[in-house]
Amino acid sequence: MQQKILERLKIETLTPMQSATVEAAKAQDVVVLSPTGSGKTLAFLLPLADRLQKEKEGVQALILAPTRELAQQIEQVLKQMGLGVKIDCFYGGHSVYDEKKSLASPPAVAIGTPGRIASHIKEGYMAGNTVHTLVLDEFDKSLEMGFQEEMGYIIGQLPRVERRLLTSATAMHSIPAFTGLKQYTTLNYLKEEASLPDVDLRTALVKNNDKIGTLYQLICHLGNTPTLVFCNQRDVVEQVSTYLQNKKVAHGIFHGGLEQPDRERVLLKFRNGTHHLLISTDLAARGLDIPEIENVVHFQMTDAPTFVHRNGRTARMNAKGTVYLLLHPGEKPDYLPTVPPTVSLPTQVTAPPASFWDTLYVSAGKKDKISKGDVVGWLLQKGNLEKADVGKIEVQDSATFVAVNRLKLEKAIALLQQEKLKGKKVKLDRAN
């Protein structure tokens, strides 16, 4: 079964951490300590998959995640595994009505944030007496976000849990008693270094006390390579964004003050290449699956653990990446032994060109039985597009988003306005 799952996910071999987790979970509860971006999701999903019984009714496995984005990411991977069971995701910002309707026929695997899962259990929509497998993903982040009470309540409503898996990107002095973990194996893959060994650290030296100007120079120097810029507060994210808008630099922003649909849309555009640049708070430092980020930029420095988590957004799964620190002359973080080498930035710069891609919104999705193949065929046959003009496609429950050649998008929309997709009249537009 595991081999079939790996083939579906297009993964050839497991990492040592993943293999060790799968093996340990056969015999007892497991605590996995491993850096951000090291593949912990698959490490706990494989043992979970082995324990599912297709014919059994009720929720068999419950996965608690600290953020909506992480819960959605786990759901996506689980569905790609093709287990043949119902999987549902529950989180704030999602339709409560739709969630309660779905729970009338309980999923085999429920994934969610602690607040929303606790609410469904308290109101009697979700029963915990059939759950045999519990996963607490990014548990340290859940504690940091103040979910102790909700997690304690939820776990107290699960009388028949046989296997518990807990993951964390930081070491913990002790595991809280409310988790129910007693006899367990700890697999520690955390490094002592302040940064991951395959990350190349560089300093962008701030000149004339003009930090935001130095950031602009660096962005122009990096060009259209996937880059994530970290700020410490959301108002700083907004300030940087305003500056870059004035400089005509295409980018997205991500922080906790945005509405959930806006957050999802920003990440989608970053994943599909519409934006190569994302300005974010530390909300994006953990729990988000944003592949192929080449550069991480620290516009503002932070503490050592968060520094490591930020850097984990690049160099994921043994790839390489570059991390840039914006430092004033004489500035050095305590946790770094030396100031990293300085990158030479040109004084005369031009803003990176617009991306090849833009994003098309289509008002039909999984609930309309729409597949990626349906969308591609429709775009090529009716939208007068070539294969090379169509990029990443994300089919959601009620909508589909497609990366399309920016120069051909408007014409394609005009051609498709009166055309039905799989016999259904749809709305389409450039995604905001």
Side-chain angles (χ1 to χ4, degrees), residues 99-356:
E99 290 186 356
K100 289 178 178 178
K101 189 177 174 183
S102 176
L103 286 168
S105 174
V109 184
I111 311 149
T113 51
R116 183 55 66 91
I117 295 292
S119 176
H120 286 316
I121 292 176
K122 284 177 183 175
E123 293 182 29
Y125 290 98
M126 182 183 289
N129 58 358
T130 55
V131 175
H132 56 62
T133 303
L134 173 67
V135 176
L136 303 174
D137 192 24
E138 298 284 5
F139 181 70
D140 54 333
K141 182 68 174 176
S142 293
L143 293 179
E144 182 185 313
M145 294 177 68
F147 287 131
Q148 294 92 324
E149 186 176 335
E150 290 90 344
M151 288 190 294
Y153 169 77
I154 293 165
I155 295 169
Q157 305 302 308
L158 311 177
R160 295 187 174 87
V161 175
E162 300 166 357
R163 182 69 73 247
R164 299 166 200 257
L165 296 100
L166 183 153
T167 80
S168 173
T170 59
M172 292 179 289
H173 297 298
S174 61
I175 305 295
F178 71 75
T179 61
L181 284 150
K182 293 184 176 67
Q183 300 294 322
Y184 60 90
T185 296
T186 299
L187 303 174
N188 191 346
Y189 287 84
L190 297 173
K191 301 285 191 295
E192 295 299 322
E193 295 87 2
S195 61
L196 300 174
D198 45 4
V199 163
D200 186 17
L201 290 177
R202 290 285 182 267
T203 299
L205 202 60
V206 176
K207 295 179 181 177
N208 303 319
N209 211 30
D210 183 12
K211 197 169 194 179
I212 201 163
T214 303
L215 175 65
Y216 175 65
Q217 285 181 295
L218 177 60
I219 289 169
C220 294
H221 172 69
L222 297 175
N224 272 345
T225 54
T227 300
L228 183 51
V229 177
F230 281 108
C231 307
N232 293 343
Q233 299 90 22
R234 63 179 67 166
D235 61 335
V236 178
V237 170
E238 296 285 353
Q239 290 167 16
V240 171
S241 177
T242 299
Y243 180 93
L244 293 177
Q245 284 173 3
N246 292 334
K247 292 287 189 179
K248 310 295 186 199
V249 177
H251 65 282
I253 63 169
F254 188 80
H255 58 65
L258 299 175
E259 294 295 325
Q260 181 63 17
D262 294 330
R263 282 160 57 174
E264 291 176 14
R265 194 71 50 83
V266 164
L267 293 179
L268 184 148
K269 287 185 174 183
F270 193 50
R271 285 194 297 267
N272 73 17
T274 296
H275 291 149
H276 292 110
L277 178 65
L278 185 64
I279 316 299
S280 178
T281 60
D282 288 322
L283 184 64
R286 300 172 60 184
L288 297 183
D289 185 17
I290 314 174
E292 299 172 3
I293 293 177
E294 293 185 28
N295 313 296
V296 164
V297 178
H298 298 264
F299 181 69
Q300 294 173 295
M301 297 305 298
T302 183
D303 56 34
T306 308
F307 180 75
V308 173
H309 295 317
R310 287 177 174 184
N311 295 348
R313 295 296 88 203
T314 187
R316 294 173 65 80
M317 296 297 291
N318 302 317
K320 293 189 179 297
T322 306
V323 172
Y324 295 90
L325 287 60
L326 266 70
L327 300 177
H328 292 275
E331 182 183 3
K332 183 185 81 68
D334 295 340
Y335 44 81
L336 293 179
T338 58
V339 175
T342 300
V343 62
S344 178
L345 298 177
T347 53
Q348 298 297 320
V349 293
T350 54
S355 169
F356 178 83

